Amino acid sequence: ALPDVRDGFKPVHRRILYGMLGIGNTSNNPYKKCARVVGEVLGKYHPHGDSAIYSALVRLAQPFSIRYTLIDGHGNFGSIDGDEAAAMRYTEARLTKFTQEAYLSDLDKNVIDFGPNFDETEKEPVVLPVRVPNLLLNGADGIAVGMATSIPPHNLVEIVDGVKAYMKNNEISVKGLMRYIKGPDFPTGGIVINKDELLKIYETGSGKIKIRGKVEEEKLKGGKVNLVITQIPYPMVGANIGKFLNDVAGLVESKKATDIVDISNQSSKEGIRIVLELKKGADVENLKNMLYKKTRLEDTFGVNMLAVADGRPETLSLKQIIEHHVDFQFEVCTRKHQTLLNKELEKKEIQEGLIKACDVIDLIIEILRGSKNQKQVKECLVNGVTEGIRFKTKASEKAAKKLCFTQRQATAILEMRLYKLIGLEIEALVAEHEETLKNIARYEEILNNYDAMAQVIMEDLDHIKKTYGRKRDRKSVV
């Protein structure tokens, strides 16, 4: 029940996203019934009951539960007021484009390890190749035996800037990182009122963040004022909104808040809007302070940045989480480019064999026509063995003895089609070979040069930030 520091996921979330990718439930394909997804994950990877999987899937699709939704839900996925999602046979889902690009790309390039599933009939990823520090991005909460984790969500733009600052100077302090990462960015907004304690929280990995809802004054005709709550503390999500309304009603009934005439919850998909209608000449400031003091409009978010690092649970500081993430990115990037380099080296070998074969094609045709079987041809091409092959001339046999193609090149020559001997096709092959050599040089430069690999990772982060990042559109925290 604790997230891994590398991808920020617990096993159930990792399995849901990988399972959805496995059945082609991607952003460019139609939605699939959630029951279909749950069945896939339950049957192949997570034998722990369908309700546990479905509730985790629903949470990944709720914009008020996590800062960046990873699943695109279609249908009733519950509400911020605590209404539950419809049954999985009614709702539909698919991966978001952000999830595919930042969480699941390059799985075919041997970037992570796969392990056996519960009955050893399938392979599942040990960790996902997440390109952003998801542990900070969407936060985490979970309870394990004798320990619990609670990490607030953050803003993608700020996190990317913080990671880049660390990569440019790994001696940077937590205070230095906080020039970029101002504080948490909750999906419900809210204002952090103990900003001076954030540094200590981020340095130690534990503490309490005090959050207030955002209250705006709406002036009406006749000098009346309405108090409108447009942002709420993150812990208020769900049943606590109803509790807040009941608490305010209780204050009115007990004559503690006589200035409130009416209260209505006008929240919609557009956002939170709880309206308190006040009497004319009401003491607005006094009323605000009473709401903060007596209701959940001011609440605390307990921070305990506990995650599994190097196989054991550890309470981490902000810098340590970024450090682990960057180390993981270098590992993923190394494995990716090593795989790409190996593919290009294979291509180079075959291309060189075909170019060489084009120069001696008449001899190769003579060997093919004079041989009894494929094995004989291969032996001649690789080792220059001419026994049993009929040659037209002694010169041809002498030339054949000098041949020394590799096994892979010999196979490619035997599979080559005759149209490849057209002049333009040979030119295209030479051009392709030059491109392969450029790719090899580029991949070797990335693998052998720390700065070159760091540049690749930072360009990747910049692309994700530009495509999916949004600056704080509300004055939360800062």
Side-chain angles (χ1 to χ4, degrees):
L2 294 178
D4 190 300
V5 72
R6 293 170 295 175
D7 64 0
F9 286 125
K10 298 181 216 168
V12 66
H13 299 127
R14 195 177 297 126
R15 288 162 176 169
I16 287 168
L17 298 182
Y18 182 66
M20 288 175 82
L21 183 72
I23 56 170
N25 194 194
T26 50
S27 61
N28 51 340
N29 285 329
Y31 293 93
K32 279 186 164 65
K33 286 283 184 193
C34 288
R36 169 77 179 86
V37 176
V38 170
E40 174 77 6
V41 176
L42 182 69
K44 286 186 177 176
Y45 313 113
H46 197 75
H48 295 287
D50 55 0
S51 59
I53 298 168
Y54 185 52
S55 59
L57 185 153
V58 165
R59 188 177 157 76
L60 293 177
Q62 291 176 328
F64 50 84
S65 287
I66 63 170
R67 183 69 185 81
Y68 296 91
T69 52
L70 303 180
I71 289 174
D72 175 11
H74 188 242
N76 173 14
F77 272 77
S79 76
I80 197 166
D81 297 328
D83 300 320
E84 292 206 358
M88 64 177 110
R89 61 182 179 275
Y90 301 121
T91 54
E92 298 177 333
R94 64 183 177 189
L95 293 169
T96 63
K97 202 171 173 206
F98 172 60
T99 312
Q100 281 170 245
E101 197 166 336
Y103 289 70
L104 296 164
S105 60
D106 297 329
L107 275 169
D108 57 337
K109 295 184 179 75
N110 187 35
V111 288
I112 44 135
D113 292 328
F114 282 78
N117 68 339
F118 61 92
D119 62 358
E120 299 192 354
T121 56
E122 299 277 344
K123 293 276 183 202
E124 63 171 311
V126 173
V127 64
L128 291 179
V130 174
R131 288 151 67 181
V132 286
N134 182 54
L135 195 63
L136 291 171
L137 206 62
N138 274 327
D141 60 71
I143 299 164
V145 180
M147 56 187 82
T149 185
S150 179
I151 302 169
H154 294 80
N155 186 283
L156 176 61
V157 173
E158 294 174 11
I159 289 293
V160 167
D161 290 342
V163 171
K164 283 171 66 185
Y166 169 80
M167 287 176 75
K168 287 171 185 170
N169 170 24
N170 57 16
E171 298 293 317
I172 193 169
S173 64
V174 172
K175 194 173 182 179
L177 285 169
M178 284 185 70
R179 287 213 304 275
Y180 307 94
I181 303 164
K182 310 290 185 189
D185 187 17
F186 293 104
T188 55
I191 301 153
V192 170
I193 57 168
N194 62 335
K195 288 178 217 159
D196 50 340
E197 290 176 37
L198 284 177
L199 176 60
K200 194 180 174 211
I201 290 169
Y202 282 136
E203 279 177 342
T204 60
S206 61
K208 285 185 179 174
I209 297 174
K210 286 183 185 168
I211 321 161
R212 274 183 180 174
K214 191 177 180 188
V215 183
E216 294 172 358
E217 292 177 28
E218 211 172 67
K219 290 183 169 61
L220 305 171
K221 287 177 186 174
K224 278 190 171 184
V225 175
N226 278 357
L227 281 185
V228 181
I229 297 159
T230 54
Q231 295 176 16
I232 58 170
Y234 187 56
M236 210 164 124
V237 170
N240 286 328
I241 292 179
K243 189 176 184 311
F244 168 74
L245 298 173
N246 289 336
D247 288 346
V248 174
L251 289 173
V252 175
E253 281 169 22
S254 62
K255 302 278 194 296
K256 285 178 184 169
T258 51
D259 287 340
I260 299 174
V261 176
D262 189 29
I263 178 168
S264 58
N265 186 2
Q266 299 171 14
S267 304
S268 64
K269 281 184 179 176
E270 275 65 58
I272 290 286
R273 185 179 163 84
I274 298 169
V275 181
L276 305 180
E277 215 175 293
L278 308 184
K279 286 179 185 172
K280 193 175 177 181
D283 186 344
V284 175
E285 283 307 313
N286 183 44
L287 193 58
K288 276 189 194 176
N289 289 332
M290 186 185 290
L291 290 174
Y292 289 138
K293 204 170 177 184
K294 305 274 187 187
T295 71
R296 298 291 293 268
L297 196 59
E298 184 182 303
D299 213 334
T300 57
F301 181 92
V303 176
N304 188 26
M305 302 209 290
L306 185 76
V308 176
D310 300 323
R312 65 174 193 275
E314 210 177 309
T315 302
L316 304 161
S317 69
L318 177 69
K319 184 180 173 181
Q320 284 174 309
I321 291 176
I322 289 174
E323 215 171 288
H324 280 289
H325 169 74
V326 171
D327 289 348
F328 179 55
Q329 287 314 299
F330 273 97
E331 185 194 324
V332 166
C333 201
T334 302
R335 290 177 67 162
K336 173 185 172 179
H337 286 94
Q338 191 59 59
T339 303
L340 291 172
L341 177 65
N342 292 343
K343 278 186 182 171
E344 292 297 319
L345 288 170
E346 267 182 41
K347 267 165 74 177
K348 174 180 173 260
E349 186 186 330
I350 289 167
Q351 286 161 356
E352 284 175 350
L354 293 178
I355 290 166
K356 205 164 100 182
C358 289
D359 294 337
V360 289
I361 195 67
D362 294 337
L363 176 63
I364 290 170
I365 290 168
E366 198 174 323
I367 292 165
L368 286 165
R369 293 183 72 178
S371 299
K372 294 187 181 72
N373 54 45
Q374 199 173 317
K375 191 183 173 189
Q376 220 174 25
V377 178
K378 261 196 176 176
E379 275 293 301
C380 183
L381 291 175
V382 175
N383 301 315
V385 177
T386 56
E387 284 166 31
I389 300 174
R390 291 193 322 274
F391 288 95
K392 288 179 183 173
T393 63
K394 286 281 178 192
S396 296
E397 188 172 350
K398 198 176 175 186
K401 283 179 178 173
K402 289 178 185 172
L403 293 176
C404 58
F405 290 98
T406 66
Q407 284 287 350
R408 204 177 271 136
Q409 286 172 340
T411 304
I413 290 165
L414 289 171
E415 288 171 357
M416 184 173 73
R417 298 194 174 184
L418 286 173
Y419 77 85
K420 287 281 183 191
L421 299 170
I422 300 166
L424 285 174
E425 287 290 334
I426 294 168
E427 277 176 35
L429 180 63
V430 171
E432 199 182 312
H433 180 57
E434 280 169 14
E435 188 61 34
T436 301
L437 292 176
K438 278 184 202 165
N439 288 341
I440 289 169
R442 193 167 84 250
Y443 296 149
E444 283 178 341
E445 167 70 6
I446 291 167
L447 286 165
N448 299 325
N449 185 331
Y450 175 90
D451 290 338
M453 189 176 285
Q455 191 59 38
V456 168
I457 293 168
M458 286 197 270
E459 281 170 10
D460 226 17
L461 284 169
D462 279 333
H463 168 71
I464 291 169
K465 171 182 156 181
K466 190 179 172 186
T467 314
Y468 305 103
R470 298 283 177 275
K471 288 194 174 175
R472 293 172 188 263
D473 51 357
R474 34 183 192 268
K475 288 178 182 136
S476 56
V477 180
V478 285

